[in-house]
């Protein structure tokens, strides 16, 4: 399984990442995520990935559901969270990760969905669920 997190800053901006993904051969907008390690809870996974990939810690994680990542060929369940009450820490991506922080407003993120720039499923679901929570149903 895996877990993913949508970090929400106090000013309302979202902290997406722009990461090189070899499988598609390009930089991809997405939310921080990772695989669950042995005996690791989904919340512990997003706590670890948030710090590693963005350089932020969260005071609180809020569950926004889960999704099957690719039901046609695997049973991976990805737990989704919001991260709030953020504070800076040291960013420590893994050696093979090429990651840039991509802060943006919810409206900017939704526009990137509309123009086909955000195609990652976990990111799409998290952004759309957050949008509905905020009353921005499209």
């Amino acid at each position: 399984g895996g877990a993913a997190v949508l970090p929400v800053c106090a000013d309302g901006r979202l902290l997406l990442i722009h990461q090189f993904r070899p499988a598609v051969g390009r930089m991809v907008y997405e939310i921080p995520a990772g695989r669950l390690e042995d005996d690791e809870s989904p919340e512990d996974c997003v706590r670890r990935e948030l710090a590693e990939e963005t350089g932020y810690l969260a005071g609180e994680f809020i569950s926004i559901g889960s999704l099957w990542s690719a039901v046609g060929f695997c049973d991976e369940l990805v737990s989704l969270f919001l991260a709030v009450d953020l504070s800076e820490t040291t960013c420590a991506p893994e050696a093979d990760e090429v990651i840039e922080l991509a802060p943006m407003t919810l409206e900017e993120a939704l526009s990137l969905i509309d123009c086909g720039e955000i195609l990652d499923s976990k990111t799409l679901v998290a952004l759309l669920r957050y949008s509905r929570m905020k009353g921005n149903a499209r």
Side-chain angles (χ1 to χ4, degrees):
V5 61
L6 176 60
V8 182
C9 298
D11 66 3
R13 286 178 308 132
L14 308 174
L15 295 180
L16 274 66
I17 58 175
H18 203 211
Q19 179 170 208
F20 183 76
R21 291 297 194 171
V24 294
R26 61 179 268 205
M27 297 290 283
V28 174
Y29 287 104
E30 59 186 302
I31 58 176
R35 288 190 203 120
L36 300 180
E37 295 181 357
D38 292 339
D39 298 323
E40 184 178 45
S41 71
E43 188 172 313
D44 286 342
C45 178
V46 292
R47 180 176 289 109
R48 174 178 48 80
E49 292 292 337
L50 178 66
E52 286 177 6
E53 295 182 357
T54 70
Y56 282 84
L57 301 173
E60 182 181 6
F61 292 97
I62 302 163
S63 174
I64 56 171
S66 57
L67 62 92
W68 282 313
S69 62
V71 72
F73 72 91
C74 73
D75 65 354
E76 178 187 49
L77 185 67
V78 178
S79 300
L80 300 173
F81 294 87
L82 297 178
V84 296
D85 191 20
L86 302 178
S87 59
E88 289 189 60
T89 189
T90 304
C91 188
E94 295 180 22
D96 63 343
E97 291 180 318
V98 177
I99 299 174
E100 301 166 354
L101 201 54
M104 62 185 72
T105 66
L106 176 58
E107 285 304 315
E108 290 168 330
L110 294 175
S111 291
L112 289 176
I113 290 172
D114 290 342
C115 72
E117 282 296 311
I118 294 180
L119 295 173
D120 174 65
S121 62
K122 68 187 175 300
T123 303
L124 288 165
V125 171
L127 287 169
L128 294 175
R129 285 186 180 166
Y130 181 66
S131 176
R132 294 190 74 161
M133 290 171 64
K134 299 291 287 178
N136 294 330
R138 292 184 105 170

